[in-house]
């Protein structure tokens, strides 16, 4: 406990018992993560209008996840999508959504918290943001 105490205090664990250590797939969010966000991602990525029901479903699923874990859930969603399509990390030329390049999928996923107007925590200081950095830079997604 002595080792964990400074880390837990740094993340404010004694206040609300939340932090990045709580973000394990299957515990902090279901696996597969955010199934309601896949249609949103596809529509946005292809430049299509997103129906209100699709937006609501995705945003509700994201809202149910701690702000510490939302980017991790988006990362997990992208990872699962590519694995389902047989894409290996770093493999080029295979797209999950037709007419939507991998880079655009990553950037679109990174912006989902902003679309939903849901904050995320970006570092140990607890500073908030609305765009996931890790999702946008993940090379395999």
């Amino acid at each position: 406990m002595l080792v964990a105490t400074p880390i837990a205090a740094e993340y404010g664990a004694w206040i609300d018992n939340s932090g990045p250590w709580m973000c394990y797939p299957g515990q902090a969010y279901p696996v597969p993560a955010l199934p309601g966000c896949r249609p949103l991602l596809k529509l946005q990525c292809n430049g299509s209008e997103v129906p209100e029901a699709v937006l609501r479903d995705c945003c509700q699923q994201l809202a149910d996840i701690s702000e510490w874990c939302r980017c991790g859930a988006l990362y997990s969603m992208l990872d699962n999508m590519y694995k389902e399509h047989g894409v290996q990390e770093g493999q080029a030329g295979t797209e999950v959504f037709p007419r939507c390049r991998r880079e655009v999928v990553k950037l679109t996923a990174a912006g989902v918290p902003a679309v939903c107007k849901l904050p995320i925590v970006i570092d140990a200081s607890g500073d908030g943001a609305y765009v996931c950095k890790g999702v946008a830079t993940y090379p395999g997604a």
Side-chain angles (χ1 to χ4, degrees), residues 6-112:
I7 295 170
E10 178 181 349
Y11 287 104
W14 309 125
I15 298 168
D16 62 7
N17 199 28
S18 65
W21 59 82
M22 305 283 291
C23 300
Y24 292 103
Q27 294 175 357
Y29 49 87
V31 176
L34 304 169
C37 290
R38 289 181 180 203
L40 172 79
L41 193 60
K42 181 177 183 176
L43 290 166
Q44 278 193 319
C45 194
N46 287 320
S48 301
E49 188 172 331
V50 178
E52 185 64 33
V54 171
L55 179 64
R56 186 177 49 249
D57 289 347
C58 175
C59 293
Q60 183 57 56
Q61 286 179 6
L62 195 59
D64 289 342
I65 297 171
S66 164
E67 61 189 22
W68 286 95
C69 307
R70 289 175 181 152
C71 292
L74 287 163
Y75 166 88
S76 179
M77 177 190 69
L78 286 177
D79 191 45
N80 286 331
M81 285 174 23
Y82 280 99
K83 284 179 181 174
E84 288 169 9
H85 286 83
V87 178
Q88 301 294 321
E89 185 172 336
Q91 180 181 356
T94 307
E95 305 303 335
V96 171
F97 302 133
R99 301 179 314 276
C100 193
R101 291 187 348 259
R102 185 178 301 200
E103 297 79 23
V104 176
V105 174
K106 290 187 290 186
L107 291 172
T108 303
V112 169

